[in-house]
Amino acid sequence: MPAHAKKEDLLRDIIAHAKEYGFVFPSSEIYDGLGAVYDYGQNGAALKMHIRDFWWRAMVQMNENIAGIDAAIFMHPETWKASGHVDAFNDPLVDNKDSKKRYRADVLVEDYIQKIETKIEKEISKARKRFGESFDEAVFRETNNRVLEYGKRIGEIRERLKEALERSDLPEIGKLIADLEIACPVSGSRNWTEVRQFNLMFDTKLGSVSDDAGTIYLRPETAQGIFVNFLNVYKTGRMKVPFGIAQTGKAFRNEIVARQFIFRMREFEQMEMQYFVKPGTEMEWYGYWKAQRLKWHHAIGIPESSYRVHDHIKLAHYANAACDIEFDFPMGFKELEGIHSRTDFDLKQHEKHTGKKLQYFDSDTNESYVPYVVETSIGLDRMVLAVLTHALTREKLEDGSERLVLRIAPPLAPVKCAVLPLVNKDGLPEKGREMMDRLKVDTECQFDAKDSIGKRYRRHDAIGTPYALTVDHQSLEDDTVTIRERDSMQQERIAIGEAGKVITDKTSMRNLLERL
Ligand code: GAP
């Protein structure tokens, strides 16, 4: 988006646009909001529903061997011991004794690194001004002493942090903060507590009498709801390996760092699929799902250059392959989706903790085994942010004016079609209403007769409505309307009788599913 030379400006603009046009509001805003919790407004809820629908259809409708379920948010507390979340789902935190503010220790170090990176950027922009046209950034980065020194320092700090995190060496992370003389952004002091582990799960009590109540957790991932239902779905669905179980739903994490809008939330939604395969075939399926998921992302028309795949070199102890699909968010490339080959870790853990056999019987070979699992896991809210990041465009028009347009793939748009009487008189609103009443059983349309036609087009451009049907005086005579396309702003005339089919064809989810 050329109008956003700086990426921070883009995030700021997305947040402002999302609020002004009913996509995302801070939660309980009239009470000043709640950190890292957001509400979706009328357009955001519809956009989110369509992305979820595209994912669900791509998984469940398009794959005969994938079953969709909807497991509860609350699960037996032992689930989270088996999965490892009670013992190991932690972030290192540190408190400043003066401001009483709590921080993620690794993020304090990352922020420090960011400041050095900003210094590098400043050197580059100074040099660019000095050398003008002849400036070669790559050469400058490789040869300028100050930039090289900053780069070396960043490398050293990163390495120290990485090693300390891998060893869970909390005193070393504390020492790193002290050595770098990192101060609290609020109090300005370096008066830190020691670094401690902080479990990210929210807990609550089950039962109406507090004495009897047991501690249970709000699920931190939807995946475990799938693992505990492996046998149920396998038996009742008469599934044959390889087969998948998919679900979408809320997950909760008490994130210490609450920022970056809907990128990192405390209550968010995941779309996860666990694919159960014969041990030894998991790498083939891992490759297959990596390719399939990229196809899904590219199908919605965001350029491939906005995505990249980051293969994990250091793997979790239970995984034998893992990667992130990263997206070029306003904050830079960050994780949007994870694809993990999780071996038989989860099912075996649940076997251990329940004493039940979670095995598949292969009738061809007469053998039973615990299947291996390839998981695809994407955050729905992060996907909404990815769509908004790509879609929000400020355009200069031929007449010199500007328009803000959301170039959302038509099947995902909150409203598919605006029905607009050219003027609010002469029988045009009545004609428009008649058409609206017929169209609304087929698709999501909005009738709008207030303000000038130009203003109404702009309002719908700003929420991403791909088509507008305008009723004018000619419509009264020959039962035709103009159809305007959002991105090109081109208009043509069509018969009112055909309008429903034209709009549903152009905005059908089929158009995306056919690209998979
Ligand atoms: N079952 C595997 C799992 O949960 P994860 O990498 O922790 O893996 C998967 O999470 C996806 O969930 C991430 O790629 C991200 O899109 C989303 N996600 C994780 N934490 C999030 C948060 N705090 N806010 C929004 N989305 C989040």
Side-chain angles (χ1 to χ4, degrees):
M1 184 174 181
H4 294 99
K6 284 214 215 120
K7 286 205 146 194
E8 314 86 80
D9 293 350
L10 176 56
L11 184 61
R12 198 199 49 213
D13 282 4
I14 290 170
I15 296 171
H17 193 88
K19 173 133 194 273
E20 186 174 350
Y21 288 95
F23 283 87
V24 184
F25 307 126
S27 164
S28 30
E29 193 187 6
I30 56 171
Y31 291 96
D32 291 337
L34 187 65
V37 185
Y38 290 90
D39 296 340
Y40 284 83
Q42 63 280 19
N43 292 317
L47 171 61
K48 200 171 157 201
M49 179 174 74
H50 296 143
I51 297 174
R52 190 192 297 114
D53 186 38
F54 176 40
W55 182 90
W56 184 270
R57 284 173 192 267
M59 286 294 180
V60 179
Q61 180 182 323
M62 300 289 284
N63 293 286
E64 290 165 44
N65 63 346
I66 297 185
I69 66 164
D70 182 12
I73 286 171
F74 292 138
M75 300 182 70
H76 192 287
E78 192 68 18
T79 308
W80 305 110
K81 284 204 185 120
S83 67
H85 284 83
V86 170
D87 293 326
F89 195 49
N90 299 320
D91 274 342
L93 74 79
V94 64
D95 293 301
N96 184 268
K97 290 183 195 159
D98 300 317
S99 67
K100 311 272 180 258
K101 289 272 173 203
R102 177 163 287 182
Y103 298 92
R104 239 174 83 175
D106 55 328
V107 171
L108 280 179
V109 178
E110 289 290 349
D111 286 350
Y112 182 88
I113 291 173
Q114 182 67 48
K115 280 191 191 137
I116 308 180
E117 276 168 352
T118 310
K119 284 184 187 167
I120 296 180
E121 292 306 323
K122 271 201 186 130
E123 292 293 332
I124 292 171
S125 87
K126 264 198 306 191
R128 181 173 285 118
K129 272 197 202 126
R130 202 166 350 118
F131 296 113
E133 293 270 294
S134 63
F135 181 66
D136 184 332
E137 184 178 324
V139 173
F140 184 77
R141 277 181 184 273
E142 275 167 27
T143 52
N144 180 273
N145 282 340
R146 207 169 280 171
V147 170
L148 287 172
E149 225 169 79
Y150 286 143
K152 185 163 163 259
R153 188 151 167 66
I154 289 174
E156 285 163 1
I157 299 170
R158 279 237 162 88
E159 193 51 37
R160 221 175 128 186
L161 177 66
K162 191 169 141 252
E163 277 181 15
L165 286 172
E166 278 170 13
R167 291 197 311 270
S168 291
D169 185 347
L170 303 181
E172 169 62 8
I173 301 175
K175 189 159 178 316
L176 183 57
I177 290 172
D179 290 350
L180 298 174
E181 299 185 348
I182 295 176
C184 168
V186 176
S187 68
S189 88
R190 300 187 181 94
N191 195 6
W192 298 108
T193 61
E194 58 190 29
V195 177
R196 295 186 308 276
Q197 289 290 23
F198 174 76
N199 193 288
L200 297 184
M201 283 197 294
F202 284 100
D203 60 28
T204 184
K205 300 283 178 200
L206 187 72
S208 51
V209 185
S210 61
D211 285 352
D212 307 330
T215 297
I216 57 163
Y217 301 98
L218 298 185
R219 66 180 176 197
E221 62 170 14
T222 57
Q224 296 306 323
I226 291 178
F227 289 122
V228 299
N229 278 295
F230 162 74
L231 268 191
N232 287 335
V233 177
Y234 155 43
K235 298 264 155 123
T236 59
R238 296 173 28 252
M239 312 301 278
K240 285 198 102 159
V241 159
F243 73 89
I245 305 179
Q247 78 162 327
T248 71
K250 289 276 177 129
F252 303 83
R253 297 182 188 179
N254 200 358
E255 302 281 359
I256 304 166
V257 177
R259 60 184 187 197
Q260 298 179 328
F261 192 40
I262 52 174
F263 180 83
R264 193 175 306 285
M265 301 159 86
R266 295 196 167 109
E267 174 181 342
F268 58 101
E269 194 163 336
Q270 287 187 316
M271 307 192 287
E272 297 199 295
M273 192 277 296
Q274 322 297 129
Y275 205 65
F276 299 92
V277 306
K278 189 170 176 158
T281 65
E282 70 276 10
M283 292 321 275
E284 180 194 322
W285 289 113
Y286 172 73
Y288 173 82
W289 282 109
K290 201 165 150 180
Q292 275 307 108
R293 292 304 303 145
L294 280 168
K295 255 194 193 171
W296 184 88
H297 285 284
H298 298 154
I300 62 173
I302 299 180
E304 296 191 12
S305 58
S306 296
Y307 292 90
R308 74 180 185 197
V309 176
H310 169 72
D311 290 305
H312 291 198
I313 298 161
K314 175 110 180 56
L315 297 169
H317 62 280
Y318 52 81
N320 61 5
C323 69
D324 295 335
I325 296 179
E326 296 184 339
F327 183 80
D328 192 7
F329 287 106
M331 310 78 79
F333 274 97
K334 299 233 176 250
E335 176 184 342
L336 169 59
E337 170 157 11
I339 298 165
H340 315 121
S341 174
R342 300 180 64 116
T343 67
D344 53 6
F345 172 80
D346 301 88
L347 288 180
K348 280 232 169 107
Q349 280 296 103
H350 290 303
E351 279 196 328
K352 210 162 42 176
H353 283 252
T354 59
K356 304 215 165 79
K357 271 196 163 151
L358 299 179
Q359 299 198 348
Y360 174 77
F361 176 70
D362 187 334
S363 53
D364 296 337
T365 59
N366 260 346
E367 53 168 347
S368 292
Y369 58 81
V370 178
Y372 271 35
V373 169
V374 174
E375 156 183 89
T376 73
S377 173
I378 176 169
L380 176 51
D381 310 271
R382 282 193 192 175
M383 193 61 209
V384 170
L385 183 58
V387 168
L388 291 177
T389 301
H390 162 72
L392 184 60
T393 317
R394 194 188 298 276
E395 258 183 18
K396 265 243 171 314
L397 302 180
E398 275 172 12
D399 64 3
S401 65
E402 265 196 357
R403 72 163 180 159
L404 265 178
V405 54
L406 274 187
R407 293 173 179 271
I408 301 177
L412 305 182
V415 177
K416 303 291 186 277
C417 165
V419 177
L420 311 174
L422 184 64
V423 288
N424 202 5
K425 57 182 184 184
D426 302 339
L428 301 190
E430 291 77 7
K431 185 87 179 164
R433 272 266 162 233
E434 241 175 62
M435 189 166 70
M436 169 81 188
D437 286 342
R438 256 182 285 149
L439 276 175
K440 71 184 178 193
V441 295
D442 286 322
T443 192
E444 297 146 300
C445 13
Q446 252 178 32
F447 179 86
D448 191 356
K450 210 163 158 245
D451 295 327
S452 73
I453 189 75
K455 272 197 182 156
R456 281 177 281 159
Y457 283 149
R458 291 290 164 273
R459 268 205 296 268
H460 278 280
D461 287 344
I463 64 166
T465 307
Y467 298 100
L469 296 171
T470 304
V471 182
D472 54 17
H473 292 92
Q474 189 179 327
S475 310
L476 302 177
E477 286 158 24
D478 63 4
D479 265 345
T480 62
V481 283
T482 60
I483 177 168
R484 171 190 184 268
E485 201 266 329
R486 176 195 67 202
D487 297 346
S488 64
M489 295 186 287
Q490 296 291 317
Q491 302 193 19
E492 57 178 296
R493 277 204 102 76
I494 58 169
I496 289 180
E498 284 172 20
K501 182 160 172 12
V502 170
I503 299 290
T504 49
D505 278 355
K506 285 177 185 286
T507 61
S508 166
M509 198 61 87
R510 194 192 318 120
N511 301 332
L512 302 187
L513 294 171
E514 276 172 356
R515 292 184 198 158
L516 297 179

